[in-house]
Amino acid sequence: NAGVTQTPKFQVLKTGQSMTLQCAQDMNHNSMYWYRQDPGMGLRLIYYSASEGTTDKGEVPNGYNVSRLNKREFSLRLESAAPSQTSVYFCASSPQDPSNQPQHFGDGTRLSIL
Amino acid sequence: KNEVEQSPQNLTAQEGEFITINCSYSVGISALHWLQQHPGGGIVSLFMLSSGKKKHGRLIATINIQEKHSSLHITASHPRDSAVYICAVVGRSYNTDKLIFGTGTRLQVFP
């Protein structure tokens, strides 16, 4: 049982490049989340999807877009990467939203923008 | 001021010591989570609680809703307990209930 799978694990981009971070879960969870983790700060919510077909902004959505492709997959896209988006990105899922149930996290994507 | 504060930020211990990590929050919550982040980066959920106390092996989590405070205790600590421990509350943020995270407590347990 893989749980939450994120790809890639590492990525280096140049300013202005675009890329998509992929996330898939095999637990039949309804809700999925994208977070970023920066030194000295707690995890911050970028976007979430409470159920298939819906997406909503979190705390720090600027510069990102998301797609809930189906119940399993939730992707995060950086259209024009900026150095301020250098961070570790985590995808998570839970059976339902709000988060009164444990969230299951992927292993993270370490992204550097030069 | 952060809505979720953890103390201490860093903690070192000798193997076998009793460890306490504290979490205070300033918002109304419906639940509180304790998470563990391993040195490799992966995050796992340890506990979710809304009242009282939960125990799993050598880990004990308590919460006092009136005082807006939770503690995570590790008994008979071991080097494999070395990790970052993160407190997160389910609180109202941006007009919906979402996890609000503390910045974590980095624990190192030496043999």
Side-chain angles (χ1 to χ4, degrees):
Chain A
N1 192 344
V4 178
T5 303
Q6 288 184 236
T7 55
K9 294 193 186 310
F10 303 94
Q11 185 71 49
V12 178
L13 294 177
K14 294 181 180 178
T15 299
Q17 287 186 316
S18 62
M19 81 160 294
T20 299
L21 280 61
Q22 307 286 353
C23 176
Q25 52 90 11
D26 61 3
M27 296 171 284
N28 201 36
H29 285 170
N30 287 314
S31 300
M32 297 185 74
Y33 311 85
W34 275 106
Y35 296 97
R36 59 178 290 173
Q37 186 179 41
D38 300 296
M41 304 185 74
L43 286 150
R44 291 182 294 169
L45 183 65
I46 304 171
Y47 270 94
Y48 66 100
S49 171
S51 61
E52 185 180 355
T54 69
T55 61
D56 284 288
K57 295 178 180 179
E59 182 182 355
V60 287
N62 291 344
Y64 305 95
N65 286 302
V66 290
S67 295
R68 183 75 184 266
L69 304 169
N70 47 55
K71 193 171 186 179
R72 288 187 66 247
E73 298 173 289
F74 188 38
S75 62
L76 178 72
R77 182 160 178 84
L78 287 72
E79 290 290 352
S80 179
S84 61
Q85 295 177 305
T86 293
S87 188
V88 182
Y89 291 84
F90 287 94
C91 177
S93 71
S94 69
Q96 63 186 50
D97 197 66
S99 303
N100 286 335
Q101 300 197 35
Q103 291 192 4
H104 298 255
F105 288 81
D107 289 337
T109 295
R110 193 171 297 272
L111 182 62
S112 294
I113 316 294
L114 304 178
Chain B
K1 184 172 167 38
N2 293 335
E3 293 166 305
V4 180
E5 297 273 2
Q6 289 185 236
S7 63
Q9 288 187 311
N10 294 284
L11 185 56
T12 59
Q14 290 296 125
E15 184 173 355
E17 286 185 4
F18 181 84
I19 304 293
T20 296
I21 298 170
N22 297 298
C23 175
S24 297
Y25 52 91
S26 58
V27 296
I29 71 168
S30 53
L32 182 144
H33 297 249
W34 281 103
L35 308 164
Q36 180 191 55
Q37 185 169 23
H38 295 287
I43 299 173
V44 296
S45 178
L46 298 175
F47 294 104
M48 188 191 68
L49 63 167
S50 54
S51 64
K53 175 178 169 178
K54 286 190 176 181
K55 184 176 190 292
H56 184 245
R58 294 180 294 106
L59 274 59
I60 303 166
T62 64
I63 187 168
N64 185 319
I65 296 293
Q66 287 73 29
E67 294 186 3
K68 295 188 174 180
H69 181 269
S70 176
S71 293
L72 177 68
H73 305 286
I74 305 174
T75 61
S77 60
H78 190 276
R80 65 175 174 266
D81 296 326
S82 297
V84 176
Y85 293 85
I86 301 170
C87 171
V89 301
V90 183
R92 185 138 289 253
S93 178
Y94 302 93
N95 297 318
T96 187
D97 290 335
K98 288 291 167 283
L99 284 181
I100 306 170
F101 293 83
T103 56
T105 295
R106 184 175 301 276
L107 171 65
Q108 293 187 81
V109 181
F110 294 99

